[in-house]
Amino acid sequence: MPELTDLATLSETPHAEVFDRREPRTVRLQLDAGESVPPHTHPGTDVVLHLLSGHLEVTLDDETYDVEAGELLQFGGNSEASPRAVEDSTAVIVLAPAVED
């Protein structure tokens, strides 16, 4: 059944679950300028980060990616990820079960 959600109504920070169902897991990430999420992994998933507003520096293992509003970053959940907000930022992150090749 379709479910319509408004990201602005989600109040949890920095992560808010978008839907009650967790597969694929969909969260809204909201960070103020200078805030970051400690390095972590999501084993067994493929991750897509869609930056809606702001500017993030996302460190994946030992490499850092500049992500601007409107851009998408896709990576494997086994990578150690740590996003840091260069400016106030809001993203939607989808964590889908990884498909074996």
Side-chain angles (χ1 to χ4, degrees):
M1 176 184 294
E3 184 176 347
L4 183 63
T5 301
D6 183 346
L7 291 178
T9 64
L10 302 174
S11 59
E12 295 86 12
T13 59
H15 298 93
E17 297 287 338
V18 176
F19 301 110
D20 291 335
R21 297 187 64 204
R22 292 184 54 107
E23 292 224 5
R25 183 175 179 203
T26 306
V27 297
R28 189 238 29 237
L29 173 68
Q30 189 169 353
L31 297 172
D32 292 332
E35 279 189 304
S36 63
V37 176
H40 62 286
T41 61
H42 295 282
T45 66
D46 287 323
V47 181
V48 175
L49 180 150
H50 179 198
L51 188 59
L52 302 173
S53 64
H55 177 190
L56 292 176
E57 291 178 345
V58 180
T59 301
L60 298 173
D61 297 323
D62 296 325
E63 195 164 342
T64 301
Y65 298 85
D66 275 311
V67 184
E68 302 282 346
E71 293 183 327
L72 295 144
L73 178 64
Q74 185 275 328
F75 56 95
N78 289 329
S79 294
E80 189 170 76
S82 178
R84 185 184 78 76
V86 176
E87 56 189 63
D88 293 354
S89 299
T90 301
V92 172
I93 302 171
V94 177
L95 299 97
V99 177
E100 296 295 323
D101 291 333

